[in-house]
Amino acid sequence: MLAHGILRIPAARKVVKRASAMENGKVYIHYNHTDPCRHSRWTARESYRYMYRRPWRKVVDFYSDLKLVPQDITENFHSCEGTCLANIPTKDKTGRWERVTFKIVLSYHGGSFDGWQKQPGLNTVQGLVEKPLGRFVDERKAEKLKDKSLPLEGCAAVAGRTDKGVTALQQVCSFYTWRKDVKCGDIKVSINEAAPGKLKVLTVSENLRRILQVSRAFHPNFAAKWRRYFYIFPLDDGDGQINHSEMGCSNSADALDEEQINWQPENDEEEQSISLLDGNEDDNMYNIVAKPRNFSVDKVNQLLRQLEGRSLSYKMFARDTKASRSTGPPTECFMFHARATDAKLPYYDKNCVGGLRVMCVELVANRFLRKMVRVLIATAIREAAAGADDDALLKLMDATCRRATAPPAPPEGLCLVDVGYEEFKQENCLILSTGL
C-alpha cells in the first residue's frame, strides 16, 4: 500500500530472498519514486556507470598541476591566515596554557594518498604529517610514547578529513608542543620533505597561549565557520553523452563498486521504503523507458541554488555514518553557497591543445556529512537528467531511505578549496551566476 508517497512492503525480507534467486544471487533494489519523471530517472547502477565512465585521469592531472603552483592558489583563494582568534592578553599561566600551538595550512594531491585519516598499512596524509612532527614533541610526551612502545610522532588535528582521491588546496591542521625552541620554518621544511611533489605546506603560524586565548577558541575543526568544496565533472571529450547501451543493467565485467550500488537496507524503516524489481509491470518500466543520456548544467545550478540559505538535514545525502548521527541536529547543515557552471579545463601538456569540457560545482556550508558532497552532486546530475522539478533535492530531504539519492560521484573530481574562520562572504566565491 502507499503511505506518504512511499511503497510499503510488509514482508520485505521474504521478497528480497525471492528476488535474490531471480537475479543470480544479487538483489537490485530501487527506491519507489512517485513523481512524473520516475521512469526516466537513472537507477543506482545506471547513475554509477554514468559517473565513472568519464576521463577522470585528466581531472586528476589538473589537480596535480594546480597543487604544484601554491603562489597561484593563494592569489585565487583568500588566505586562511585571517583566522579570527581572541587577541586578549592573559596573565601568565602554567601547564597547558604554556604550550605553543601551530596552525599548518597545506595542500596535497588526492590521487597520491589513501585519504587523510591515519590507517595501518595505508599511505595517508595524516600519517605523513605526524611522522616529521615527532621531531618537535616535548620530552614528557616522548617518554610516554616510548613507554607505550609507540612511534615518536606528533598529533595533528584537522579541519576536515578527506576521502581517498580527494585533493585539498588549503587544508588546515594544528599541532601543539610545550617546547619553546620550535620554529615555524622548521616545521614547514620537515613536513615538505615527507612527500615532495605530492604534499606541500603553504604556511605555518604560531600562537602562544600566553598571548592568545587559543586553547579553546581555536581548533581546526570546531572553530571553522565554513568549508568550501569544488567539484569538477567531465562532460566527456565530445558532446557530453554516453552510449545508451551502457545505461542498462547488463552483467558486464566492469569494475563496479557493488558496495555502493547494491547495499542492503540498514533498518526496518528503510527496508519498508523500497520497491524491488520482481517482475512487476510498473517496476519493469525502469528498463523499458528510454533513459536520458545527458543533462543540463543550468538545470543542476537551479537545483543546487534551492539549497542556499537553508539549514536542512542532509542525512539522505550521507553515507557510512553511525546510527547515532542519522537523526537530529548532527545531520543538519547550513548551505551558504551552491552553484554550478560549465567551463573548459585547460591542459598543461604542451603537446595537447584545447581543453576538456567540464561542469564545475562550488559548495560552501558550515559543515558537511560523510560523502555528502559527492552524493549531492551525483543526485543533482541524476535529477537534472530526469527533468525533475527545481525543488527535487529539497523533496529528497524527506525521504526515508538513502536509496532515494544517487551513489556518490567519483572522489577524483572533488577538492577541498579552503576552510574559513571568519564570517562567510559570498563575493569571494568562485562561481557567481545571476538569476534562476
Side-chain angles (χ1 to χ4, degrees):
M1 63 178 177
L2 286 174
H4 303 293
I6 302 298
L7 182 62
R8 301 294 182 181
I9 307 177
R13 296 184 181 179
K14 294 182 180 180
V15 177
V16 168
K17 292 180 180 179
R18 185 166 67 250
S20 177
M22 296 172 58
E23 297 282 345
N24 297 322
K26 294 183 179 180
V27 182
Y28 298 108
I29 309 173
H30 299 305
Y31 185 83
N32 187 47
H33 295 278
T34 58
D35 58 315
C37 59
R38 62 186 182 278
H39 295 311
S40 60
R41 183 177 284 108
W42 298 332
T43 65
R45 289 177 64 83
E46 293 167 349
S47 179
Y48 186 96
R49 285 173 170 168
Y50 187 88
M51 296 291 162
Y52 276 82
R53 287 176 174 170
R54 298 283 158 178
W56 290 108
R57 182 73 254 173
K58 296 178 181 178
V59 177
V60 172
D61 292 342
F62 171 77
Y63 280 140
S64 179
D65 292 333
L66 183 63
K67 182 191 67 60
L68 296 177
V69 284
Q71 293 83 1
D72 293 340
I73 293 175
T74 54
E75 290 176 3
N76 293 331
F77 308 117
H78 69 278
S79 174
C80 289
E81 280 304 301
T83 303
C84 184
L85 300 175
N87 189 9
I88 304 175
T90 62
K91 297 180 180 180
D92 290 341
K93 295 185 178 182
T94 58
R96 67 179 61 184
W97 290 95
E98 289 296 310
R99 73 190 189 191
V100 182
T101 300
F102 294 89
K103 187 180 74 169
I104 306 169
V105 181
L106 67 159
S107 66
Y108 51 84
H109 180 225
S112 303
F113 300 98
D114 295 308
W116 167 269
Q117 186 173 8
K118 182 166 57 177
Q119 302 179 62
L122 295 180
N123 181 36
T124 65
V125 181
Q126 184 180 13
L128 283 177
V129 170
E130 291 187 344
K131 285 182 180 179
L133 288 178
R135 295 170 48 191
F136 309 107
V137 301
D138 53 273
E139 294 182 2
R140 183 179 178 182
K141 182 170 184 178
E143 279 296 324
K144 287 184 177 180
L145 293 174
K146 183 178 179 181
D147 293 341
K148 296 180 180 180
S149 300
L150 297 175
L152 184 60
E153 297 179 349
C155 181
V158 70
R161 294 177 295 181
T162 53
D163 291 332
K164 177 181 179 179
V166 178
T167 295
L169 297 186
Q170 290 192 38
Q171 175 69 279
V172 181
C173 64
S174 68
F175 161 75
Y176 68 83
T177 179
W178 272 268
R179 288 175 51 181
K180 303 300 187 295
D181 61 335
V182 180
K183 306 298 182 183
C184 294
D186 295 338
I187 293 179
K188 184 174 183 179
V189 171
S190 182
I191 297 178
N192 282 338
E193 292 175 347
K198 299 177 181 178
L199 181 149
K200 187 177 183 65
V201 175
L202 303 180
T203 62
V204 179
S205 57
E206 174 184 350
N207 296 306
L208 269 67
R209 290 181 178 272
R210 291 174 296 177
I211 302 176
L212 298 177
Q213 288 186 330
V214 299
S215 59
R216 293 175 178 80
F218 177 71
H219 184 284
N221 185 11
F222 304 136
K225 294 187 175 182
W226 51 264
R227 285 99 169 154
R228 184 206 313 270
Y229 279 94
F230 201 77
Y231 196 92
I232 298 178
F233 182 84
L235 297 175
D236 216 331
D237 295 296
D239 57 3
Q241 297 183 358
I242 64 173
N243 191 322
H244 185 60
S245 62
E246 296 177 349
M247 296 297 291
C249 294
S250 61
N251 295 322
S252 60
D254 298 327
L256 298 178
D257 189 344
E258 294 295 335
E259 182 179 353
Q260 295 286 0
I261 63 178
N262 192 38
W263 51 267
Q264 296 294 332
E266 296 180 357
N267 49 52
D268 292 338
E269 184 179 17
E270 287 194 354
E271 196 170 90
Q272 294 175 350
S273 303
I274 54 179
S275 66
L276 302 177
L277 291 182
D278 58 357
N280 181 280
E281 180 179 356
D282 184 64
D283 289 335
N284 281 334
M285 291 295 290
Y286 284 106
N287 294 328
I288 297 175
V289 175
K291 299 293 182 71
R293 299 165 60 184
N294 52 23
F295 66 92
S296 167
V297 176
D298 289 338
K299 181 64 175 180
V300 172
N301 184 54
Q302 293 173 7
L303 288 163
L304 292 175
R305 292 196 64 174
Q306 302 299 316
L307 308 178
E308 290 185 352
R310 299 171 183 260
S311 181
L312 302 167
S313 173
Y314 284 85
K315 63 182 180 180
M316 290 299 110
F317 295 87
R319 297 293 187 271
D320 302 335
T321 55
K322 296 181 180 179
S324 60
R325 293 178 59 86
S326 296
T327 58
T331 67
E332 293 182 0
C333 308
F334 184 88
M335 191 71 67
F336 292 102
H337 183 82
R339 304 291 173 91
T341 189
D342 55 352
K344 278 266 188 153
L345 198 67
Y347 292 130
Y348 285 94
D349 187 350
K350 63 181 180 181
N351 298 320
C352 186
V353 296
L356 177 70
R357 293 180 56 248
V358 298
M359 176 183 71
C360 297
V361 177
E362 182 181 18
L363 299 176
V364 185
N366 65 332
R367 61 195 294 267
F368 290 93
L369 307 181
R370 183 164 174 77
K371 297 185 179 179
M372 169 182 155
V373 175
R374 293 162 53 196
V375 174
L376 184 59
I377 291 172
T379 305
I381 291 175
R382 184 195 70 181
E383 296 302 303
D389 295 335
D390 290 349
D391 61 349
L393 297 180
L394 293 175
K395 292 178 179 177
L396 287 173
M397 303 286 179
D398 298 325
T400 58
C401 173
R402 287 178 176 174
R403 283 190 178 277
T405 53
E412 290 81 2
L414 186 58
C415 175
L416 172 61
V417 177
D418 53 0
V419 182
Y421 299 91
E422 297 179 335
E423 295 301 324
F424 170 72
K425 297 180 180 179
Q426 194 165 28
E427 57 266 26
N428 294 329
C429 289
L430 306 175
I431 303 177
L432 292 173
S433 55
T434 56
L436 282 176

